[in-house]
């Protein structure tokens, strides 16, 4: 039996269903490739974080990381679940507000926010800006001074904690493009500059150690390091934070070999670690914020592809081509990310064969799954690739002038188109003759 998430199951016709919707019917209605999101699973994951904090009696804020996947409908769903969001561009700010997100619940990240983006965030009333570098302190301060407005801020610290993850998604170590380094004294310098500014209202500190982290150890080490730093600042500057933002990076399951903690376990581990350190250091227990993105949305997404050409090289490789690829999921090419999948339109009892699932793009590296054992497939079969909800559509591109797929939300037997498939007119809409 294939690895299934959320409400996914097979019906009496041996078709994969998600949210009570037959994916064969969805493919007929919307075409392929098609992103199908299980809304009930999104809600369940979001509540796993939020309700655990609440049950522990801890003042908190759960902030969805928009970069994982965002659209108008996603922000509407976040508002329904009483989650905030973090953004890293003016485009994400615009989309979030247009989608119904309260500006006060938006947190603005980024290592190179432009003057225009910062001014836009201030104009729109974005609740919190996470300052990432000294240049940004100067830019934001000048904007606020000109507008005669104050702004709630936090600043990002790289605490020197390494997490067990891919080099490209490791962010808490000393050698990082993000945040103020602790060991060199930059974080302390930043604290002094922000505290001395008349327009910056310092609410707390932020750290993020990486992504796709399976155990709590890295977070526990980060909590210990952060509280030691905060305690030093309390002694030196008589400054105590209101908010400790521990970022995100909580791992998810892509294949049978992955074994991440559940959202509830991550929350309990972080809360207990903060409580323990605060008691040890006699430090006032702060409000805790976290920023889950992938861990809310990844497993809820499934991409449906149509099988096309196949190529068998005896004693070498069996290639199966689908009608998408690195244009709708670049992660395998970028990170060597590993996924699982299966036939969505029928169940076969034929002996499985080792295959390589590849895309239609003009690159040898356009490989979705390097090796997977599947029963023989035929042209027009539907192939479901699971756990594609994070960083699939959000990193989608028009390489080879292919169209970006449609996105559908499904819940309680109802399907809703939330992003339409691009058209050829869309492709040339920005071109100038």
């Amino acid at each position: 039996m294939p690895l299934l998430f959320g409400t996914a199951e097979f019906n009496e016709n041996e078709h994969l269903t998600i949210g009570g919707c037959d994916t064969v019917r969805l493919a007929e209605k919307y075409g392929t490739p098609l992103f199908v999101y299980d809304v009930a699973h999104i809600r369940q994951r979001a509540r796993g974080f939020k309700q655990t904090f609440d049950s522990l009696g801890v003042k908190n804020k759960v902030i969805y990381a928009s970069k994982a996947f965002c659209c108008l409908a996603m922000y509407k769903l976040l508002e329904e679940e009483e989650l905030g969001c973090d953004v890293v561009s003016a485009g994400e700010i615009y989309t979030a507000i247009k989608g119904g997100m309260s500006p006060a619940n938006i947190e603005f990240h980024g290592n190179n926010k432009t003057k225009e983006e910062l001014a836009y965030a201030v104009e729109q009333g974005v609740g919190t800006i996470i300052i990432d570098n000294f240049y940004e302190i100067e830019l934001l301060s000048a904007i606020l001074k000109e507008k005669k407005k104050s702004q709630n801020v936090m600043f990002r610290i790289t605490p020197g904690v390494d997490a067990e993850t891919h080099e490209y998604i490791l962010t808490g170590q000393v050698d990082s493009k993000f945040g103020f380094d602790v060991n060199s004294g930059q974080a302390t310098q930043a604290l002094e500059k922000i505290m001395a500014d008349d327009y910056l209202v310092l609410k707390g500190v932020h750290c993020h150690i990486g992504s796709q982290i399976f155990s709590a150890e890295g977070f526990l080490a980060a909590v210990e390091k952060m509280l030691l730093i905060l305690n030093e600042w309390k002694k030196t500057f008589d400054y105590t934070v209101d908010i400790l933002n521990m970022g995100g990076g909580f791992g998810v399951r892509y294949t049978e070999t992955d074994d991440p903690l559940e959202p509830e376990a991550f929350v309990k581990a972080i809360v207990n670690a903060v409580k323990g350190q605060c008691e040890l250091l006699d430090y006032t227990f702060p409000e805790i914020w976290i920023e889950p993105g992938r861990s809310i949305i990844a497993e809820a997404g499934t991409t449906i592809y149509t099988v096309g050409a196949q190529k068998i090289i005896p004693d070498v490789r069996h290639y199966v081509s689908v009608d998408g690829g690195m244009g709708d999921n670049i992660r395998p090419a970028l990170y060597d990310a590993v996924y699982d999948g299966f036939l969505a339109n029928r169940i076969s009892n034929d002996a499985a064969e080792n295959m390589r699932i590849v895309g239609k793009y003009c690159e040898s590296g356009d490989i979705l799954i390097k090796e997977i054992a599947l029963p023989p497939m035929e042209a027009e079969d539907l192939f479901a690739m699971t756990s594609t909800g994070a960083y699939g559509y959000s990193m989608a591109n028009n390489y080879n002038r292919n169209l970006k797929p449609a996105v559908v939300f499904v819940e309680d037997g109802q399907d809703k188109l939330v992003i339409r498939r691009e058209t050829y007119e869309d492709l040339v809409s920005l071109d100038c003759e």
Side-chain angles (χ1 to χ4, degrees):
M1 190 68 180
L3 181 60
L4 299 176
F5 298 95
T7 64
E9 60 183 3
F10 285 90
N11 64 16
E12 65 278 3
N13 296 319
E14 299 186 349
H15 295 174
L16 173 67
T17 68
I18 304 172
C21 296
D22 188 323
T23 56
V24 174
R25 304 284 86 81
L26 293 176
E28 292 170 352
K29 184 175 180 179
Y30 298 108
T32 59
L34 178 68
F35 283 96
V36 181
Y37 280 90
D38 183 349
V39 174
H41 193 54
I42 297 172
R43 294 188 194 278
Q44 179 258 321
R45 298 288 288 187
R47 292 169 187 174
F49 289 109
K50 183 68 178 167
Q51 291 177 354
T52 304
F53 272 121
D54 293 343
S55 70
L56 295 171
V58 174
K59 194 173 182 184
N60 68 87
K61 199 166 188 178
V62 178
I63 303 160
Y64 173 75
S66 296
K67 64 178 183 172
F69 170 73
C70 66
C71 66
L72 298 177
M74 186 62 199
Y75 288 118
K76 183 176 183 294
L77 180 57
L78 293 172
E79 274 287 300
E80 290 174 3
E81 293 300 320
E82 300 181 343
L83 267 63
C85 72
D86 84 44
V87 297
V88 293
S89 72
E92 286 186 347
I93 295 173
Y94 177 85
T95 309
I97 294 173
K98 194 170 180 64
M101 179 65 63
S102 168
N105 289 328
I106 298 176
E107 183 188 79
F108 189 19
H109 272 286
N111 70 297
N112 192 28
K113 306 178 191 72
T114 67
K115 182 178 180 180
E116 292 75 20
E117 286 179 316
L118 287 168
Y120 181 68
V122 172
E123 288 165 8
Q124 296 300 314
V126 164
T128 310
I129 295 177
I130 312 296
I131 295 176
D132 205 89
N133 51 68
F134 292 111
Y135 175 61
E136 188 177 321
I137 295 175
E138 296 173 8
L139 273 183
L140 181 56
S141 180
I143 291 166
L144 294 170
K145 185 176 182 180
E146 181 183 341
K147 295 180 181 296
K148 293 183 170 55
K149 295 179 72 172
S150 60
Q151 173 67 53
N152 286 347
V153 300
M154 286 189 265
F155 68 110
R156 181 167 179 168
I157 295 172
T158 49
V161 174
D162 289 346
E164 67 288 1
T165 190
H166 192 286
E167 177 186 358
Y168 287 0
I169 49 178
L170 186 69
T171 60
Q173 76 282 18
V174 172
D175 186 7
S176 171
K177 75 172 186 176
F178 299 105
F180 296 93
D181 173 54
V182 171
N183 296 344
S184 66
Q186 289 181 352
T188 301
Q189 293 172 36
L191 173 69
E192 293 181 276
K193 282 183 176 290
I194 295 170
M195 288 178 63
D197 194 281
D198 293 333
Y199 298 95
L200 301 176
V201 181
L202 183 58
K203 304 301 291 183
V205 294
H206 170 281
C207 79
H208 179 76
I209 59 174
S211 296
Q212 190 57 354
I213 299 166
F214 283 1
S215 70
E217 277 72 19
F219 292 102
L220 303 186
V223 166
E224 182 178 359
K225 189 78 177 280
M226 292 294 285
L227 262 299
L228 288 173
I229 297 162
L230 294 178
N231 197 46
E232 283 300 313
W233 289 345
K234 177 185 173 183
K235 295 175 182 176
T236 307
F237 303 105
D238 193 28
Y239 169 69
T240 303
V241 296
D242 297 321
I243 300 164
L244 175 60
N245 188 330
M246 291 306 300
F250 315 111
V252 302
R253 201 171 186 195
Y254 285 103
T255 70
E256 294 275 8
T257 60
D258 294 330
D259 188 24
L261 294 177
E262 289 299 310
E264 296 85 351
F266 276 117
V267 170
K268 288 177 181 177
I270 291 170
V271 168
N272 288 336
V274 174
K275 279 184 176 177
Q277 286 298 307
C278 286
E279 290 171 2
L280 182 67
L281 300 170
D282 192 26
Y283 194 92
T284 302
F285 190 83
E287 182 173 341
I288 300 177
W289 291 13
I290 57 169
E291 300 166 345
R294 181 202 312 262
S295 53
I296 287 176
I297 201 75
E299 295 174 6
T302 301
T303 309
I304 306 297
Y305 297 103
T306 298
V307 172
Q310 299 189 48
K311 178 181 178 180
I312 299 175
I313 307 172
D315 302 320
V316 178
R317 186 89 63 199
H318 181 174
Y319 290 92
V320 176
S321 298
V322 296
D323 58 349
M326 64 191 300
D328 58 76
N329 191 348
I330 201 170
R331 293 187 68 254
L334 193 61
Y335 301 131
D336 279 330
V338 181
Y339 287 86
D340 200 0
F342 48 84
L343 279 169
N345 60 307
R346 60 186 174 88
I347 296 173
S348 174
N349 294 318
D350 293 335
E353 306 171 11
N354 284 332
M355 304 176 186
R356 174 167 288 184
I357 309 298
V358 297
K360 60 177 290 186
Y361 292 80
C362 195
E363 295 287 340
S364 295
D366 180 23
I367 302 167
L368 290 172
I369 301 178
K370 286 185 176 179
E371 186 170 327
I372 185 170
L374 293 168
M377 290 197 279
E378 303 169 2
E380 303 303 317
D381 271 340
L382 295 181
F383 179 72
M385 190 161 156
T386 53
S387 212
T388 58
Y391 306 107
Y393 192 89
S394 64
M395 299 177 84
N397 60 79
N398 294 118
Y399 185 47
N400 296 153
R401 288 261 156 159
N402 281 297
L403 306 177
K404 291 180 186 175
V407 180
V408 174
F409 278 12
V410 292
E411 186 177 25
D412 297 329
Q414 301 296 313
D415 59 89
K416 180 182 179 183
L417 182 68
V418 298
I419 304 178
R420 66 168 173 81
R421 187 175 306 281
E422 287 186 328
T423 66
Y424 294 129
E425 280 300 312
D426 291 329
L427 281 179
V428 299
S429 63
L430 300 179
D431 291 5
C432 300
E433 295 183 1

